[in-house]
């Protein structure tokens, strides 16, 4: 009796949790898109500067700046390179969230190196329930599978104790 109640409570919690994933991934995409837009302006400015001074690319300009004897110019090159790295990371994130599966999105969001971003997204996240039938089906299926996996050892231990 207690195991069945625990199983139902676990399923309910998992179902509600899995129903949040599509909404959370949409919030995450919006957050990442905002950061991307800001960096896009900087990258456009880098590109204009590179073209103005006849560099073949932004990377060529950064490489030239890194070899400059002036420490301030070398530091600026490192900052530009970091901005370009962050810009590429955000491009990858947008691709994952626009084209990826829910598993890929969840794996991306919950990876340890992105916890800081996830914390910022969660600060403004309001729980809700998506009414898309396919998302409800995926949430229900995931809750059943994870609930079954989590309850399996408990049920097995309960049967062993009864024997």
């Amino acid at each position: 009796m207690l195991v069945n109640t625990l199983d139902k409570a676990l399923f309910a919690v998992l179902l509600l949790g899995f129903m949040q994933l599509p909404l959370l991934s949409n919030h995450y995409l919006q957050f990442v898109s905002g950061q991307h837009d800001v960096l896009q302006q900087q990258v456009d400015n880098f590109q204009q500067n590179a073209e103005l001074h006849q560099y073949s690319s932004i990377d060529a300009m950064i490489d030239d700046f890194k070899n400059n004897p002036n420490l301030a110019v070398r530091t600026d090159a490192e900052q530009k390179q970091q901005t370009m790295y962050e810009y590429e990371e955000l491009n990858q994130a947008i691709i994952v969230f626009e084209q990826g599966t829910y598993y890929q999105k969840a794996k991306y969001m919950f990876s340890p190196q992105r916890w800081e971003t996830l914390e910022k997204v969660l600060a403004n996240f309001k729980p809700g329930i998506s009414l898309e039938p396919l998302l409800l089906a995926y949430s229900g299926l995931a809750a059943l599978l994870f609930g079954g996996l989590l309850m399996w050892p408990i049920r097995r231990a309960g049967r062993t104790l009864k024997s």
Side-chain angles (χ1 to χ4, degrees):
M1 173 96 168
L2 180 63
V3 172
N4 288 337
T5 304
L6 180 62
D7 186 28
K8 290 174 185 171
L10 180 64
F11 173 76
V13 168
L14 288 172
L15 182 62
L16 290 173
F18 281 112
M19 285 181 168
Q20 302 312 304
L21 282 178
L23 300 173
L24 183 61
S25 70
N26 286 338
H27 278 75
Y28 200 97
L29 175 60
Q30 290 174 4
F31 183 83
V32 168
S33 293
Q35 288 183 317
H36 181 269
D37 289 347
V38 168
L39 288 184
Q40 179 69 54
Q41 292 173 352
Q42 288 183 317
V43 170
D44 289 345
N45 290 338
F46 295 167
Q47 184 64 42
Q48 288 174 356
N49 194 24
E51 290 172 1
L52 179 67
H53 299 288
Q54 286 86 36
Y55 287 102
S56 60
S57 67
I58 296 172
D59 291 330
M61 180 179 71
I62 290 172
D63 290 340
D64 187 39
F65 285 8
K66 282 182 176 179
N67 297 323
N68 193 294
N70 188 329
L71 180 60
V73 175
R74 290 194 310 263
T75 302
D76 184 55
E78 291 172 9
Q79 290 170 343
K80 282 179 174 33
Q81 190 169 39
Q82 180 63 32
T83 299
M84 293 301 294
Y85 173 76
E86 290 171 13
Y87 179 73
E88 289 303 318
E89 285 287 314
L90 293 172
N91 279 335
Q92 291 299 328
I94 289 173
I95 290 170
V96 167
F97 283 95
E98 287 181 345
Q99 300 172 5
T101 64
Y102 281 107
Y103 172 76
Q104 292 168 327
K105 293 174 187 181
K107 182 179 173 186
Y108 188 91
M109 282 189 297
F110 296 115
S111 65
Q113 65 265 30
R114 295 183 186 88
W115 281 348
E116 185 178 322
T117 303
L118 183 60
E119 286 175 355
K120 291 176 185 175
V121 172
L122 286 171
N124 296 314
F125 179 71
K126 301 288 186 256
I129 297 176
S130 175
L131 297 178
E132 290 184 48
L134 188 58
L135 296 178
L136 291 173
Y138 282 144
S139 297
L141 182 62
L144 281 172
L145 290 174
F146 278 95
L149 286 173
L150 293 172
M151 287 301 297
W152 180 74
I154 295 169
R155 287 186 184 280
R156 186 171 172 117
R159 286 187 195 123
T160 305
L161 291 175
K162 286 181 182 177
S163 302

